[in-house]
Amino acid sequence: MRKFSLDYADQETDFQEVDKTVETHLENIVPKRFWGSRIGMYETGINDVVKSFCLDNSGQVFILSGNIGTGKTTLAFGAMYERAYNGLDTGEYLSARMLCPLLLSKPSFTSPESEYDFLVRMGKVPFLVYDEAGKADDKDIEWNFLTKILALRHDNMLNTFIITNMDLAAFSAFIKKYGNGDDIYTRLKTNLITRSLQGPCRRKEIVA
């Protein structure tokens, strides 16, 4: 269970200690490079929309597209931290690059989860961040999986945050191709938020 709650209303709070507690809780979900992410770290113009979305539980899908290095993943992890500070289940983070290895690995004594069990679990996670959509090694595996997950999460009224470098038209085309035509796509459109982050890459080059 990934629920975390902080009760610091009406009392002095050492925010560094709060940050440390949250990071300790999320260290198995959030890569170290993104520890301490906040929705307001960058002025993106959509921070308020992201904050409202991550605290909502109505089954919305947020597709955040844009150039490489514009702060999309940082914003998504900031959403997970925001949920933690508000006592909500922080959810799960899944990268498309790791999807095929996860689904193609056979169940074992150390990892008994089958592909079906994994699918069902992702369909029930209170908040799911799916990063790098469109970059899995096998596009058929990725989009078949993603359309099933989106259908499950739509039925369970759970929010899904999708990060991608694809434009919305290309993303929609894949959803229609692998999601029984307009079946999944029309479900998405009933509760869909789309935004794009453009501009220069924020990643800093390390000089040896």
Side-chain angles (χ1 to χ4, degrees), residues 73 93-98 130-136 142 162-165 203:
T73 301
Y93 169 79
L94 178 62
S95 169
R97 295 183 188 275
M98 294 304 297
Y130 184 73
D131 197 8
E132 301 184 301
K135 291 188 176 181
E142 177 184 10
I162 299 175
I163 310 298
T164 184
N165 298 131
R203 296 174 184 171

Side-chain angles (χ1 to χ4, degrees), residues 149-163:
I149 286 299
L150 290 174
L152 285 171
R153 298 185 62 76
H154 176 272
D155 291 343
N156 290 327
M157 298 184 65
L158 298 170
N159 284 12
T160 309
F161 201 164
I162 299 175
I163 310 298

Side-chain angles (χ1 to χ4, degrees), residues 60-87:
Q60 294 180 318
V61 176
F62 195 130
I63 300 176
L64 180 58
S65 61
N67 299 334
I68 293 173
T70 52
K72 299 183 299 299
T73 301
T74 299
L75 195 56
F77 282 128
M80 296 180 80
Y81 274 85
E82 186 70 26
R83 286 179 63 86
Y85 279 118
N86 283 273

Side-chain angles (χ1 to χ4, degrees), residues 34-199:
F34 294 97
W35 281 7
S37 294
R38 295 291 183 272
I39 289 177
M41 286 182 71
Y42 303 128
E43 181 48 58
T44 65
I46 63 170
N47 292 339
D48 289 343
V49 178
V50 173
K51 184 173 182 179
S52 176
F53 162 75
C54 75
L55 300 180
D56 173 82
N57 288 300
S58 63
Q60 294 180 318
V61 176
F62 195 130
I63 300 176
L64 180 58
S65 61
N67 299 334
I68 293 173
T70 52
K72 299 183 299 299
T73 301
T74 299
L75 195 56
F77 282 128
M80 296 180 80
Y81 274 85
E82 186 70 26
R83 286 179 63 86
Y85 279 118
N86 283 273
L88 299 174
D89 192 308
T90 53
E92 296 275 356
Y93 169 79
L94 178 62
S95 169
R97 295 183 188 275
M98 294 304 297
L99 181 61
C100 290
L102 279 170
L103 294 179
L104 295 175
S105 61
K106 295 181 179 179
S108 65
F109 288 111
T110 57
S111 181
E113 191 172 43
S114 68
E115 180 177 336
Y116 173 79
D117 291 335
F118 181 67
L119 181 69
V120 171
R121 183 165 66 84
M122 290 296 101
K124 293 181 178 180
V125 172
F127 186 75
L128 177 64
V129 173
Y130 184 73
D131 197 8
E132 301 184 301
K135 291 188 176 181
D137 296 330
D138 188 312
K139 296 295 186 291
D140 287 337
I141 290 178
E142 177 184 10
W143 290 97
N144 275 309
F145 167 83
L146 187 56
T147 51
K148 289 182 176 65
I149 286 299
L150 290 174
L152 285 171
R153 298 185 62 76
H154 176 272
D155 291 343
N156 290 327
M157 298 184 65
L158 298 170
N159 284 12
T160 309
F161 201 164
I162 299 175
I163 310 298
T164 184
N165 298 131
M166 304 170 69
D167 61 42
L168 184 60
F171 184 92
S172 300
F174 272 100
I175 292 294
K176 289 182 179 180
K177 178 181 178 180
Y178 290 93
N180 296 323
D182 286 333
D183 181 30
I184 304 300
Y185 184 67
T186 52
R187 297 187 196 187
L188 291 185
K189 288 175 66 177
T190 62
N191 222 352
L192 179 65
I193 302 171
T194 60
R195 293 292 188 276
S196 178
L197 288 184
Q198 303 300 329

